[in-house]
Amino acid sequence: MNYPCEALWLSVSPCLQRFDRRLLTYLARNVTIRQWSYAQTLDEPCSLAAAVELLHDYLQQRDSRFPMKGSPIHLLGHGISGVVGLCYAQKYPEQVRSLTLVSVGANPAVSWHAHYYALRQLLLCRREVILGQMARLLFGVQSTATLAALAKLLQQDLDQQLTLHSLATQTALDIGSADVPLLICHGEHDVIIDASSQSQWQTWFKPGDRLWRCPEGKHFFHYDYPNRTAQAIVDYWQSLSMTAQSCRPSITK
């Protein structure tokens, strides 16, 4: 089923985009979906506000490639990319048809970056050792070569992309929810966003908001289970479409 609405996948971690592609392929069968990427130079400060404003500029300049120019859009994002989407939806709710957050906790400052820096402060280990441990926590049992490659990707993401934390300080965020339809997606075995943090989202839920957990899923469950994840998202979009249709006034001739 195709929906008369566009979707935009947010990515502020270009190094990790390969983990998004399977899900985007499945979603593209049901909706017009595009990808917005944000990358910063090593000299730029890490700023959520800057990313949000660049996203807004992009959406305001949508051209003929977007069949429904100016209409509200479905926003989706994993981890810190989802946090950017949450900040955007809070500031510009009229631009957002729905917001899907993948592996984002009710405390959005909790991320794999925060866990990494916590381990750096607790353990007297080389950086490479801790990154290897993070790769095992995030992706589970893998071959030695695969874990080494994953740890290298995590290092690139840590050094080059938007992050809220550092060895010197860890940023706290008190964002809350947004006044748009909200779908929260988590992996049941995510060691970064645990079950307690997942459940805390329900404190912010409005009627129609939904929490979906991927059985057996870890932090990057949308890579391991793209079909299941896409189906959960499409089902939610369908529920929004049905609700909108039922709310339309009938016309009697």
Side-chain angles (χ1 to χ4, degrees):
M1 179 181 293
N2 293 312
Y3 300 95
C5 194
E6 301 163 354
L8 184 66
W9 179 267
L10 308 178
S11 175
V12 300
S13 301
C15 297
L16 305 182
Q17 284 182 359
R18 66 190 64 193
F19 300 115
D20 305 333
R21 292 170 187 162
R22 291 180 178 179
L23 175 60
L24 297 183
T25 298
Y26 278 99
L27 289 174
R29 300 174 183 176
N30 297 277
V31 70
T32 301
I33 186 165
R34 290 176 170 81
Q35 186 171 6
W36 176 84
S37 297
Y38 170 80
Q40 58 185 42
T41 66
L42 294 177
D43 294 328
E44 289 181 283
C46 292
S47 171
L48 278 175
V52 168
E53 290 310 308
L54 287 171
L55 172 59
H56 186 58
D57 290 344
Y58 171 81
L59 290 175
Q60 292 300 296
Q61 296 172 14
R62 285 186 289 171
D63 55 26
S64 59
R65 291 174 297 172
F66 292 78
M68 300 186 68
K69 180 180 178 181
S71 62
I73 196 167
H74 294 296
L75 288 184
L76 312 89
H78 175 276
I80 187 63
S81 302
V83 177
V84 171
L86 177 58
C87 293
Y88 183 85
Q90 288 182 320
K91 189 169 184 179
Y92 303 104
E94 71 282 354
Q95 301 292 329
V96 181
R97 178 68 183 92
S98 75
L99 176 64
T100 297
L101 300 180
V102 181
S103 296
V104 178
N107 177 359
V110 175
S111 65
W112 79 261
H113 302 93
H115 281 246
Y116 164 80
Y117 285 116
L119 288 176
R120 284 290 303 271
Q121 293 174 345
L122 289 173
L123 304 177
L124 298 178
C125 298
R126 291 184 296 110
R127 184 187 200 206
E128 293 75 13
V129 173
I130 296 178
L131 284 169
Q133 178 64 19
M134 289 304 309
R136 283 187 287 272
L137 290 173
L138 294 171
F139 298 97
V141 178
Q142 305 287 339
S143 69
T144 301
T146 298
L147 284 174
L150 290 170
K152 185 175 181 180
L153 282 177
L154 295 179
Q155 178 180 331
Q156 293 173 356
D157 184 67
L158 197 66
D159 290 343
Q160 300 175 16
Q161 309 311 326
L162 177 62
T163 179
L164 304 176
H165 312 291
S166 69
L167 274 175
T169 182
Q170 294 197 23
T171 303
L173 294 177
D174 185 16
I175 295 180
S177 187
D179 190 23
V180 300
L182 184 64
L183 172 63
I184 304 297
C185 298
H186 287 296
E188 284 195 353
H189 298 281
D190 188 344
V191 299
I192 305 300
I193 314 298
D194 60 22
S196 175
S197 182
Q198 296 173 20
S199 298
Q200 288 172 13
W201 269 114
Q202 298 185 46
T203 303
W204 302 98
F205 273 8
K206 309 172 297 297
D209 291 349
R210 186 179 298 180
L211 172 63
W212 177 76
R213 291 188 176 96
C214 179
E216 305 302 322
K218 296 182 181 297
H219 192 64
F220 289 89
F221 66 89
H222 65 301
Y223 173 78
D224 293 314
Y225 304 99
N227 193 3
R228 292 188 198 177
T229 307
Q231 189 60 57
I233 295 170
V234 169
D235 286 348
Y236 186 63
W237 288 343
Q238 183 177 13
S239 73
L240 296 177
S241 179
M242 293 175 62
T243 299
Q245 291 176 8
S246 66
C247 293
R248 291 174 183 169
S250 60
I251 300 175
T252 303
K253 294 184 179 180

